[in-house]
Amino acid sequence: MQSNFKVVGYLPAWKMNKLSKVRYDAFNVLVYSFAFPDEENDMVIPNLDFVNTILSSAHQSDVKVFLGVGG
């Protein structure tokens, strides 16, 4: 039976030391948090070098990745 429930998790930019412990198969969606506007209203994405790793790992498990915006 297919469930209508979605499991959404937050992956905070300040917890990249925990990246190897993420169970991508346990989620439908991960939200990478948080991007924030700088003084010129450009979006700053912390730890951008990890984003490709997150995207690759998530997509291999058929998990969508969204970007949370804060600030």
Side-chain angles (χ1 to χ4, degrees):
M1 174 171 29
Q2 185 178 7
S3 173
N4 290 328
F5 291 102
K6 302 292 183 203
V7 179
V8 179
Y10 283 87
L11 188 56
W14 57 91
K15 292 284 189 171
M16 290 299 100
N17 60 331
K18 306 283 186 188
L19 192 58
S20 64
K21 296 182 179 191
V22 175
R23 291 195 44 222
Y24 293 95
D25 61 325
F27 299 98
N28 299 100
V29 176
L30 280 175
V31 179
Y32 182 70
S33 56
F34 291 97
F36 56 91
D38 66 9
E39 296 81 26
E40 285 105 34
N41 288 324
D42 292 323
M43 281 294 140
V44 175
I45 303 174
N47 294 318
L48 189 56
D49 49 328
F50 286 104
V51 172
N52 284 332
T53 302
I54 294 164
L55 288 172
S56 176
S57 298
H59 290 168
Q60 286 176 11
S61 296
D62 201 29
V63 175
K64 294 179 182 178
V65 179
F66 298 145
L67 178 62
V69 178

